[in-house]
Amino acid sequence: MIYYKTEEEIALIRQSCLLVCETLAHVASLIKPGVTGLDIDKEAEQFIRDKGGEPGFKGYRGFPATLCVSINEQVVHGIPSGRAFREGDIISVDCGVVLNGYNGDAAYTFALGDVPEETMNLLRVTKEALYRGIAQAVKGNRIGDIGYAIQSYTEYEHGYGVVRELVGHGIGKSLHEDPEVPNFGRRGKGVLLKENLTIAIEPMINLGTKHIVQADDGWTIRTKDSKPSAHYEHTVVVRKEKAEILSDHTVIEEKVKTNKELKQV
Ligand code: MG
Ligand code: MG
């Protein structure tokens, strides 16, 4: 069942997404060597609650934390731990918020210190792929157009691995609504996009193989070949001419710029 949103609902989802991005911006100001996933998770939860929101992931199907913190070869769904961040790590942070009954969802991969150029390129290409996907989220296109834009750029053009098992999603009163939004696909195939459909687009792109394995904790997804993986996510609304991005990475990137420990993507 696909729920198309009213403008009032879209305004509420935008508010949730902005709180998500402010939280990620706060996280961006905290990351440095020695800091742990547990540290940023605690800060993020407090930040969200102080602004009147609730963590969207905590308790979702039993997930134990506010953030998903996925380091290096971890793709997504990493449970925040006491593992200290180290110079050269890439750290994907995914955050969800519920505010006024509506979900927001966004993610950003941070580069801590001297990250190899090969990995920086993975981050840049994955981020660019997100915007190429978003450019397809217009009325009259189909879900496959979004996936094709992401896959053709990352896999066909750059030889990266596009994760198949995990996909983007509709979003609203529920964190995960229909339709699924894969990061691969065929042009002109899949669900027809109509105005006021709100979806989270979130390429999960691996430097090496597309294959993944799930850790024994039942959550953390990592690459099968242990090579790094990147994840960027926006919540967007399908419009007539051009998708409207409801989340806002610019607030995150402002904090990345002022945190000397982080490398700009
Ligand atoms: Mg997310
Ligand atoms: Mg999502």
Side-chain angles (χ1 to χ4, degrees):
M1 175 82 194
I2 294 177
Y3 300 99
Y4 300 93
K5 275 68 179 184
T6 64
E7 291 304 326
E8 290 73 19
E9 289 180 295
I10 290 167
L12 292 174
I13 295 169
R14 186 187 296 108
Q15 281 183 24
S16 301
C17 289
L18 293 180
L19 179 51
V20 166
C21 292
E22 285 168 12
T23 307
L24 289 172
H26 181 54
V27 163
S29 70
L30 299 171
I31 294 177
K32 62 178 182 181
V35 166
T36 70
L38 281 173
D39 293 334
I40 61 171
D41 188 70
K42 193 177 164 205
E43 287 273 346
E45 178 170 1
Q46 194 59 53
F47 188 91
I48 291 165
R49 294 196 189 281
D50 285 348
K51 300 273 165 98
E54 275 181 49
F57 298 167
K58 201 169 193 175
Y60 183 84
R61 297 187 182 177
F63 189 76
T66 295
L67 303 175
C68 296
V69 180
S70 309
I71 307 169
N72 299 334
E73 76 286 354
Q74 297 173 346
V75 180
V76 287
H77 301 172
I79 298 173
S81 77
R83 167 181 173 177
F85 301 146
R86 291 163 51 171
E87 169 90 14
D89 282 345
I90 59 166
I91 303 152
S92 299
V93 184
D94 196 347
C95 183
V97 156
V98 185
L99 189 65
N100 300 313
Y102 285 85
N103 283 270
D105 191 7
Y108 201 90
T109 301
F110 300 98
L112 179 52
D114 205 11
V115 170
E117 189 49 32
E118 185 186 42
T119 305
M120 288 306 296
N121 213 39
L122 170 71
L123 301 188
R124 287 190 283 264
V125 168
T126 303
K127 196 166 87 160
E128 168 65 18
L130 169 60
Y131 291 99
R132 290 184 180 213
I134 291 169
Q136 297 297 319
V138 292
K139 181 188 175 185
N141 273 1
R142 289 179 182 271
I143 283 289
D145 293 309
I146 297 172
Y148 178 80
I150 293 169
Q151 183 181 21
S152 58
Y153 183 60
T154 57
E155 190 173 293
Y156 306 156
E157 216 172 298
H158 288 275
Y160 295 144
V162 176
V163 173
R164 300 298 202 274
E165 294 86 344
L166 300 150
V167 296
H169 49 92
I171 182 167
K173 283 184 179 163
S174 299
L175 174 59
H176 295 132
E177 297 184 352
D178 289 338
E180 290 193 339
V181 184
N183 299 303
F184 52 91
R186 291 169 61 195
R187 277 178 285 191
K189 299 288 179 188
V191 170
L192 182 66
L193 300 177
K194 297 181 190 171
E195 284 176 88
N196 293 23
L197 173 66
T198 46
I199 50 175
I201 302 178
E202 49 180 316
M204 289 156 259
I205 309 298
N206 302 342
L207 184 62
T209 180
K210 67 185 177 210
H211 296 293
I212 56 168
V213 288
Q214 190 172 40
D216 293 337
D217 63 18
W219 281 104
T220 313
I221 304 292
R222 64 169 181 81
T223 58
K224 196 169 185 196
D225 60 7
S226 297
K227 290 187 179 175
S229 182
H231 182 214
Y232 291 89
E233 177 180 27
H234 269 307
T235 296
V236 310
V237 55
V238 173
R239 298 293 197 188
K240 204 180 284 180
E241 306 287 342
K242 189 171 181 281
E244 182 185 349
I245 305 177
L246 299 176
S247 40
D248 181 8
H249 281 181
T250 64
V251 296
I252 304 167
E253 287 169 347
E254 277 165 25
K255 294 290 182 181
V256 169
K257 252 183 232 168
T258 57
N259 182 343
K260 297 271 189 296
E261 307 284 349
L262 296 177
K263 213 165 163 179
Q264 282 174 248
V265 177

